Amino acid sequence: PNFSGPLYDLKRDLLWTLYDLGHMNKFPFGLLELGDCEEYRSSPKGEAWVSDHGMPDIDEPILMNEYLFWQAIQINQRLYNNAQTYPYFCKQAHLIQQKLTV
């Protein structure tokens, strides 16, 4: 993609600050933006492993970046009656991108 690395870093760091302060608990699109930033300009936080993720049928740790997409879907289901489809599209796009780069 054609983007400015330093601007992505700034956006990512600001979104992580909001996440760490608990301000993203109701905003799936914010989590998706953070996941997108981590996908293109990863940080140590995005590359961390999450063991207690709550994903069904997955017993092994997942990357925090994947956990962000999972959280967005969970918030969509819990708070928005599963009315938003975008979190699912973003999660699928992330999975497809991973398969293309492996």
Side-chain angles (χ1 to χ4, degrees):
N2 187 12
F3 59 83
S4 168
L7 284 177
Y8 246 67
D9 292 345
L10 178 63
K11 179 180 174 180
R12 182 199 63 217
D13 294 346
L14 289 171
L15 288 169
W16 271 123
T17 299
L18 292 171
Y19 182 90
D20 291 341
L21 293 172
H23 296 302
M24 302 276 259
N25 295 337
K26 296 181 182 177
F27 302 103
F29 289 93
L31 293 169
L32 297 172
E33 283 295 317
L34 180 52
D36 183 58
C37 288
E38 282 293 340
E39 191 161 4
Y40 294 111
R41 298 283 289 191
S42 60
S43 70
K45 281 186 173 184
E47 294 175 349
W49 291 95
V50 178
S51 297
D52 187 23
H53 48 70
M55 291 182 75
D57 302 325
I58 298 179
D59 296 329
E60 55 195 36
I62 61 172
L63 284 173
M64 174 56 110
N65 190 28
E66 295 174 0
Y67 184 59
L68 293 169
F69 292 113
W70 172 249
Q71 283 182 303
I73 290 170
Q74 293 302 302
I75 291 168
N76 174 45
Q77 291 174 349
R78 190 175 65 250
L79 298 179
Y80 300 102
N81 199 26
N82 215 20
Q84 301 171 352
T85 58
Y86 196 66
Y88 295 99
F89 292 131
C90 289
K91 173 79 171 152
Q92 279 305 114
H94 170 72
L95 294 174
I96 290 168
Q97 180 69 21
Q98 273 191 322
K99 286 187 184 239
L100 294 176
T101 59
V102 173

